[in-house]
Amino acid sequence: MTSSSNGSAHPSAAQLPTWRHPAFRRGLVEMLEIAPGLAAWGLVAGVAMAKSGLGVPMAIFMSLVVFAGSAQLASLPLIAAGAPIWVVWATALCINLRFVVFSTQWRPYFGHLPRRLRVALGYFTADLNYVVFMRRFPEPKPGPDQLPYFWGGVTCNWVTWQVPSIAGIVLADQIPTEWGLAFAGTMALVALTGTLLGSLSTWVAAGVAGTAAVAAYALPLRLNIVIAIAAAVAMGVMLEHLQPRKAPGASA
């Protein structure tokens, strides 16, 4: 990685609007490479929301406000089944606990920013943006390119999710169920996830999550998803602690 990954390669870039910053375009382009799988899953989520009994306005409101595909899809069958609201909230909370980890990892980069801006960043935070950002900026310290790069990536992510999701909500009645959209979207995400697993520990955690989800499939209220997430997080933390620590002066 060149030195420009953590510092600005363009001395005058600081004076540019964020959307014209070179790092903004870089973040946008790098997210575009994985956008097709995300768009397919967004369409699936939109159709699922529309066919779960939510009206079109409420489904669009949920897509825009919640903006968390896994939590949305896990909550829909609970809402449709009339589950207690605390069960719906608890399920969404457990699934979204990973964002606490993401926020902790992002703190060295954005912790110095005003709170209002950090709240906005929190809304746009997403799994794939986290992976791509950390791959671009592996050293946990602030840099002038990081915020524009973040905005470029999340802009692509937000649009790529919301447009197909809302299209799925509005056009759900015109999309035949025999198209197998859920299966296609799942396969797209599986292929996409495979390209993002860059180390043995991530592969092991993903394998543990998949095994736990299948083993706990018979649990009610989609609790197998919660079990899978907990198992993956536990495995990831354990593997992280088992890795040898580098000396402070050691090179990467």
Side-chain angles (χ1 to χ4, degrees):
M1 181 176 291
T2 63
S3 59
S4 62
S5 64
N6 284 316
S8 177
H10 302 267
S12 61
Q15 284 74 44
L16 293 173
T18 299
W19 63 273
R20 293 187 59 191
H21 197 287
F24 181 94
R25 292 195 294 272
R26 188 182 303 120
L28 187 70
V29 169
E30 292 186 4
M31 276 302 300
L32 280 173
E33 296 174 0
I34 54 180
L38 181 64
W41 193 237
L43 182 63
V44 170
V47 173
M49 282 190 287
K51 294 191 173 184
S52 68
L54 293 175
V56 170
M58 183 58 67
I60 293 176
F61 178 79
M62 182 180 185
S63 180
L64 294 173
V65 174
V66 177
F67 187 41
S70 300
Q72 290 171 226
L73 290 173
S75 300
L76 288 175
L78 301 178
I79 295 172
I85 190 63
W86 70 265
V87 174
V88 178
W89 280 98
T91 301
L93 176 64
C94 289
I95 292 174
N96 285 338
L97 280 176
R98 67 191 188 279
F99 290 108
V100 177
V101 179
F102 296 165
S103 299
T104 302
Q105 295 294 317
W106 257 315
R107 184 173 179 81
Y109 303 91
F110 301 135
H112 64 285
L113 298 175
R115 179 175 298 175
R116 185 174 300 179
L117 178 55
R118 281 182 280 143
V119 169
L121 297 180
Y123 166 76
F124 286 100
T125 295
D127 304 71
L128 296 179
N129 292 116
Y130 169 79
V131 173
V132 174
F133 183 95
M134 291 301 175
R135 187 168 57 190
R136 170 63 61 177
F137 302 102
E139 191 173 354
K141 65 178 183 179
D145 284 357
Q146 292 167 359
L147 190 57
Y149 182 89
F150 178 92
W151 282 123
V154 298
T155 297
C156 177
N157 184 85
W158 192 88
V159 173
T160 301
W161 174 267
Q162 295 294 355
V163 171
S165 179
I166 293 174
I169 293 169
V170 175
L171 302 175
D173 293 335
Q174 282 71 48
I175 299 177
T177 54
E178 58 268 19
W179 281 14
L181 284 174
F183 179 78
T186 301
M187 289 300 98
L189 276 188
V190 168
L192 181 60
T193 301
T195 65
L196 296 174
L197 299 177
S199 65
L200 178 61
S201 60
T202 55
W203 276 103
V204 171
V208 168
T211 302
V214 173
Y217 186 77
L219 291 177
L221 304 178
R222 297 285 183 98
L223 289 176
N224 63 314
I225 298 176
V226 179
I227 298 297
I229 293 171
V233 171
M235 178 58 67
V237 171
M238 184 181 71
L239 292 175
E240 179 71 20
H241 283 289
L242 289 176
Q243 289 180 355
R245 301 291 180 179
K246 291 183 179 181
S251 57

